[in-house]
Amino acid sequence: MLMDIDRRSLVLLAAAILAACYPPLSGAQGAAPSAPSSAQAWHPPASAVDEARESVPPSDSLPASVVGRRQQLTPDDLVSIALQQSPETRTTWLAARAAAASLGEARSTLFPEITGTAGINRIKTAATGGRVSAQQTTYGPSLSVNWLLLDFGGRNATIDAARQEMFAANWNHNALVADVVRRTLQGYFAYMGARALLDAQRASLNDAQINLDAANERRTVGVATIADVLQARTAFAQAQLAVQQADGAAGSARGALATLIGLPPTASFDVDTAEATAPIAEVSDTVDELIRRGLLDRPDLAAERATVDARRADARAAHSAIYPSLSTTITGGTLWVNGGSQTFPSYNVGLALTIPIFNGFGWQYAAEAASLTADAETARLHTLEQQVALQVFQTWQQLRTASQSVTTSDTLYADANQSVDAARARYREGVGTLLELLTAESALVNARAQRIQSRVDWHTALVQLAHDAGRLQPSGATTLHLTTSPSAPGNH
């Protein structure tokens, strides 16, 4: 009994010693596995910090073809640079290449699998029953051929699935290219709008300076009060603030455009303004035609259709597992014994018929799951088609509204400009008040901003419509039918 107690004590003591010596959970490369407490930050290992320091920001360099006009990049230049330097398009391009390789792998199942082996063995038998031990060395090559001859369409279905996956990957690449083009062009017009607004605010600041000078002169000659001067000063300060805010917005839009084309936000470049000042035109395509073209030409829809076909092929492949398969095996080789003193050629030819009998209905369930997955993908395609039709319709409406807004904003700007001229003339003649002039100029400031924004909205909606209807080319051009006439909005 004492022996049993002593043994238990020794076991417990040994367990306690091992537990005390058990090392704590260690972190990666010497770092702590976690922060000391929930109120403290975790400190990474030095290697992780060194890797972060090795990260290089995007280069400020441009392709040699556009370096000479760095300060006058056209929209075509911006699109070309964006597509060349976009990590997103490289990702989808590599995915498409990987899908093509997967198709090659699927096709390889149509051919026999041939393997060759070469081996050497040294054997020594033990002496038993009065016999002496024997030694021998055997070596030689062998060739094996395995070929699936018949499988009731399983391989062909797998190849079809891989082919459609390749198509889907390429269509997804095209869709991303179109999206990069859309974002780049819309970024260009957003920057152009911000620059135009900055110029407009500077013009307003100049008007405010003129008003302030006039108020000071009128007070000097005794025809204005200090209240007029203070009002003019307030308007001047507000115009200064508007210029500063517009300058910041223009810088931010320029940095966003730089990021869109793969440059750092601080990159030194500028753009040509000709495209942004082009006359506004009407789209002659009907909305029904644009919807029809969008359903036919949208690359993301084409990718989804290819995915549906791939899932249907998967269903055929899963269904083929229920049927028998026929394969053959051919093996041949030569065995040399003891340095070639004895040679033993051999071969084996076999034909095997594999018949699925029962696996707990696993084959049937797999076929049903694959079929239902194909049905679900088809439903997803129909949903996407509805979304595309709605996108085209809404963008078409937005473009119509933007066209009308351009016309209205032009009229508003012209009227506000005339109102300022009249108020300024009345003020100079002494029959109008400074408050009347400042009110008219405030309306002119708003009219300028609305006129600029309406044009930005029109260009943005045009690019979006071209994208949604599948009419936006990788070069940045659009195949929408535009009709420019003297009466078109924005041409006066």
Side-chain angles (χ1 to χ4, degrees):
M1 187 69 179
L2 290 176
M3 290 290 292
D4 291 339
I5 295 176
D6 291 341
R7 287 175 180 174
R8 291 196 199 99
S9 300
L10 289 174
V11 170
L12 292 174
L13 179 62
I17 294 174
L18 289 174
C21 296
Y22 188 80
L25 183 63
S26 61
Q29 300 177 349
S34 61
S37 71
S38 61
Q40 294 177 280
W42 175 75
H43 297 286
S47 59
V49 177
D50 293 339
E51 290 175 0
R53 288 172 180 166
E54 292 174 359
S55 299
V56 180
S59 173
D60 194 8
S61 60
L62 291 173
S65 59
V66 299
V67 168
R69 54 178 187 274
R70 189 183 189 98
Q71 298 303 318
Q72 287 186 317
L73 296 177
T74 65
D76 290 345
D77 295 332
L78 296 173
V79 167
S80 177
I81 296 169
L83 292 178
Q84 290 178 32
Q85 303 193 172
S86 170
E88 294 176 295
T89 56
R90 180 168 177 79
T91 299
T92 54
W93 174 67
L94 292 173
R97 294 186 64 187
S102 296
L103 174 59
E105 179 185 7
R107 284 176 173 169
S108 68
T109 58
L110 296 175
F111 301 94
E113 179 182 340
I114 303 174
T115 57
T117 59
I120 182 170
N121 294 293
R122 176 68 174 174
I123 303 174
K124 180 179 180 179
T125 60
T128 57
R131 290 182 172 183
V132 298
S133 61
Q135 299 181 12
Q136 74 173 9
T137 302
T138 62
Y139 59 91
S142 65
L143 193 68
S144 177
V145 178
N146 294 305
W147 196 356
L148 178 61
L149 301 177
L150 180 66
D151 65 346
F152 287 92
R155 288 175 297 175
N156 288 332
T158 301
I159 292 171
D160 287 343
R163 182 184 297 108
Q164 294 301 328
E165 292 287 3
M166 182 190 69
F167 291 160
N170 280 285
W171 282 120
N172 282 327
H173 173 69
N174 289 0
L176 186 59
V177 167
D179 197 53
V180 169
V181 173
R182 174 191 63 81
R183 285 180 284 165
T184 302
L185 291 177
Q186 290 181 339
Y188 164 79
F189 289 116
Y191 175 47
M192 288 293 90
R195 271 182 49 173
L197 185 59
L198 175 59
D199 293 339
Q201 297 296 357
R202 285 171 175 166
S204 300
L205 178 61
N206 184 62
D207 292 340
Q209 181 66 63
I210 293 174
N211 293 339
L212 179 58
D213 294 341
N216 284 324
E217 290 176 3
R218 288 170 63 87
R219 183 169 183 268
T220 301
V221 297
V223 294
T225 64
I226 186 63
D228 289 344
V229 175
L230 292 176
Q231 284 180 335
R233 286 180 182 175
T234 300
F236 180 76
Q238 289 174 337
Q240 279 185 318
L241 179 60
V243 168
Q244 293 166 356
Q245 292 174 338
D247 185 52
S252 178
R254 183 176 168 278
L257 179 58
T259 302
L260 285 172
I261 63 175
L263 298 179
T266 56
S268 173
F269 78 100
D270 217 324
V271 298
D272 184 85
T273 61
E275 188 73 19
T277 57
I280 303 301
E282 294 285 354
V283 175
S284 60
D285 303 272
T286 66
V287 65
D288 291 330
E289 175 64 17
L290 292 174
I291 290 175
R292 187 181 72 84
R293 297 307 308 177
L295 293 175
L296 289 176
D297 299 336
R298 277 277 290 264
D300 52 346
L301 266 181
E304 184 60 28
R305 292 189 185 101
T307 302
V308 169
D309 291 339
R311 299 292 78 80
R312 288 172 178 166
D314 288 339
R316 295 198 305 272
H319 189 69
S320 70
I322 304 173
Y323 299 100
S325 62
L326 181 65
S327 60
T328 183
T329 301
I330 303 173
T331 304
T334 299
L335 188 66
W336 287 279
V337 179
N338 293 331
S341 60
Q342 295 178 322
T343 303
F344 300 95
S346 63
Y347 69 89
N348 175 57
V349 178
L351 195 64
L353 178 65
T354 302
I355 303 175
I357 297 177
F358 183 73
N359 71 336
F361 302 103
W363 296 307
Q364 288 81 358
Y365 284 127
E368 183 179 3
S371 179
L372 293 173
T373 300
D375 292 341
E377 200 68 44
T378 303
R380 190 175 294 111
L381 171 62
H382 295 331
T383 301
L384 185 57
E385 288 173 340
Q386 292 178 336
Q387 292 174 351
V388 166
L390 179 61
Q391 288 172 0
V392 173
F393 178 76
Q394 290 179 333
T395 310
W396 182 78
Q397 292 285 3
Q398 291 171 4
L399 185 61
R400 286 188 60 199
T401 302
S403 298
Q404 296 168 355
S405 298
V406 168
T407 302
T408 304
S409 64
D410 283 343
T411 302
L412 178 63
Y413 174 74
D415 293 342
N417 211 11
Q418 292 178 1
S419 177
V420 167
D421 291 341
R424 186 174 290 119
R426 286 168 53 82
Y427 182 67
R428 288 174 179 171
E429 293 172 0
V431 295
T433 64
L434 180 61
L435 180 59
E436 179 184 346
L437 175 59
L438 294 178
T439 300
E441 289 186 343
S442 176
L444 178 60
V445 170
N446 292 332
R448 281 173 178 162
Q450 290 171 354
R451 187 168 183 260
I452 293 168
Q453 188 60 48
S454 66
R455 280 163 171 74
V456 172
D457 291 343
W458 185 87
H459 285 292
T460 300
L462 180 67
V463 173
Q464 188 68 51
L465 179 60
H467 171 271
D468 293 347
R471 305 283 86 195
L472 191 60
Q473 304 298 311
S475 62
T478 173
T479 57
L480 293 173
H481 297 94
L482 301 178
T483 303
T484 304
S485 64
S487 61
N491 294 338
H492 58 279

